[in-house]
Amino acid sequence: MSGHETGIANLHPLLRVDGLGKAFGGIQALHNVSFEVFPETIHAVIGPNGAGKTTLFNSITGAYSPEEGRILYGEKEIQGRKVHELVAAGIARTFQNVELFGSMTVLENVLVGQHVRTRCGFWGAMCRWPSVLREEKAARKRAMELLEFVGLEKVADQRSLDLPFGWQRFLEIGRALAAEPRLMLLDEPASGLNPVETHQLGDLLQEIKKRGVTLLLVEHDMGLTMGISDYILVLHQGKKLAEGTPREIQANEEVIKAYLGGAE
Ligand SMILES: Nc1ncnc2c1ncn2[C@@H]1O[C@H](COP(=O)(O)OP(=O)(O)OP(=O)(O)O)[C@@H](O)[C@H]1O
């Protein structure tokens, strides 16, 4: 039963970042950053260039090991865990520069994304056991449903590299969803999208939230961020500058000053 069904959705954070610190040589990219992300919400991280957003994402998704602080996913500490462990635990991500298996078809990309949730092992796949064939059929059906959800079912058999950029981004989201995540991190999902695609992206992210997935996104497009986020964390020079609802953030003097004085 999901937290939403039990009515406790907003009592326990799904993700808790506590006193996080990460340095690169002499540069303190993150300093004592703490915040919580509640289930079935859209939580955005914003801040001027160099604020530490990517470093934060890379720390949560296992690419970096932070030197200080803790990251709790549910009750479990996950800082320093391997990427594949985090994916298996239900944390998926997309990248600023779309990262697909370019020579594979659209459908195959989603099937690869599902792999973490399928049971058949190497020998089962080699021997084509009936149970494996049934599982494969079910996996293709689920993958096609996901493609329909992200609007790409008509191009399922095309090579993913041949898709226009915006479609590749939607495919990357579909592939991340195939791993059945509870928490999905999106690094600048609107970058490179035209205004129509950005609007479609906003709708899609809200639909994903309705499916019970919690979203954490880094985004520079303020129209999109303010339009869909439940809560926003503002980083500035590696520190938490503010957090609150879009309305609170838009009215926050410190935030306005950081952006006007910053690089954006
Ligand atoms: N691998 C690295 N090696 C050295 N310094 C790094 C590294 N990654 C980030 N930094 C530094 O850490 C600071 C935070 O960078 P980060 O990329 O996290 O910021 P950001 O908010 O994502 O910026 P942007 O909006 O430009 O992507 C910057 O001063 C950056 O130069």
Side-chain angles (χ1 to χ4, degrees):
M1 194 179 288
S2 76
H4 187 69
E5 282 163 331
T6 57
I8 57 159
N10 290 329
L11 293 182
H12 302 287
L14 178 62
L15 183 76
R16 190 147 67 87
V17 172
D18 188 15
L20 204 66
K22 173 79 192 159
F24 296 102
I27 298 166
Q28 192 72 36
L30 289 175
H31 181 70
N32 196 24
V33 172
S34 301
F35 67 102
E36 293 175 336
V37 178
F38 286 89
E40 298 171 33
T41 58
I42 299 180
H43 203 115
V45 182
I46 64 169
N49 292 120
K53 305 179 294 293
T54 303
T55 305
L56 175 65
F57 252 46
N58 285 341
S59 302
I60 297 170
T61 53
Y64 292 161
S65 262
E67 292 95 31
E68 289 163 22
R70 298 187 312 157
I71 304 171
L72 286 134
Y73 173 63
E75 301 294 317
K76 287 196 192 117
E77 281 197 27
I78 59 162
Q79 69 276 3
R81 292 270 190 95
K82 300 264 185 304
V83 175
H84 67 89
E85 288 178 66
L86 297 174
V87 174
I91 301 178
R93 77 168 291 179
T94 65
F95 296 85
Q96 200 169 332
N97 306 309
V98 172
E99 292 187 15
L100 292 169
F101 301 108
S103 59
M104 289 187 184
T105 67
V106 168
L107 179 67
E108 284 164 350
N109 265 277
V110 176
L111 286 168
V112 170
Q114 271 180 15
H115 181 69
V116 67
R117 297 286 168 235
T118 48
R119 283 177 299 117
C120 83
F122 175 76
W123 289 112
M126 290 298 284
C127 301
R128 315 287 293 164
W129 289 336
S131 62
V132 173
L133 293 177
R134 268 199 305 278
E135 193 173 47
E136 267 181 28
K137 203 171 159 205
R140 289 178 83 84
K141 186 165 176 278
R142 271 202 313 277
M144 282 309 293
E145 281 164 8
L146 264 181
L147 286 178
E148 204 171 318
F149 181 65
V150 299
L152 294 176
E153 75 281 10
K154 293 207 174 81
V155 290
D157 295 325
Q158 274 190 32
R159 205 169 65 129
S160 60
L161 252 192
D162 297 335
L163 297 184
F165 179 78
W167 294 17
Q168 290 189 19
R169 205 173 265 293
F170 283 88
L171 173 56
E172 200 194 23
I173 292 174
R175 188 183 59 186
L177 282 174
E180 297 176 19
R182 285 183 70 202
L183 176 65
M184 195 161 146
L185 290 91
L186 301 118
D187 195 354
E188 296 195 32
S191 108
L193 299 189
N194 65 37
V196 174
E197 290 167 337
T198 302
H199 188 82
Q200 289 168 342
L201 174 72
D203 290 345
L204 178 64
L205 298 183
Q206 282 174 306
E207 285 304 316
I208 293 172
K209 170 178 133 172
K210 279 191 205 151
R211 290 187 162 205
V213 180
T214 305
L215 298 171
L216 182 62
L217 62 138
V218 164
E219 187 48 67
H220 283 283
D221 184 315
M222 284 304 134
L224 176 71
T225 305
M226 296 298 164
I228 65 167
S229 304
D230 297 296
Y231 216 67
I232 297 175
L233 165 74
V234 189
L235 292 180
H236 184 43
Q237 296 175 350
K239 296 183 185 147
K240 178 162 83 176
L241 180 70
E243 59 183 335
T245 62
R247 192 187 285 251
E248 287 164 347
I249 294 303
Q250 275 170 306
N252 185 305
E253 296 286 333
E254 295 278 304
V255 175
I256 295 165
K257 229 190 293 168
Y259 269 93
L260 291 178
E264 295 200 7

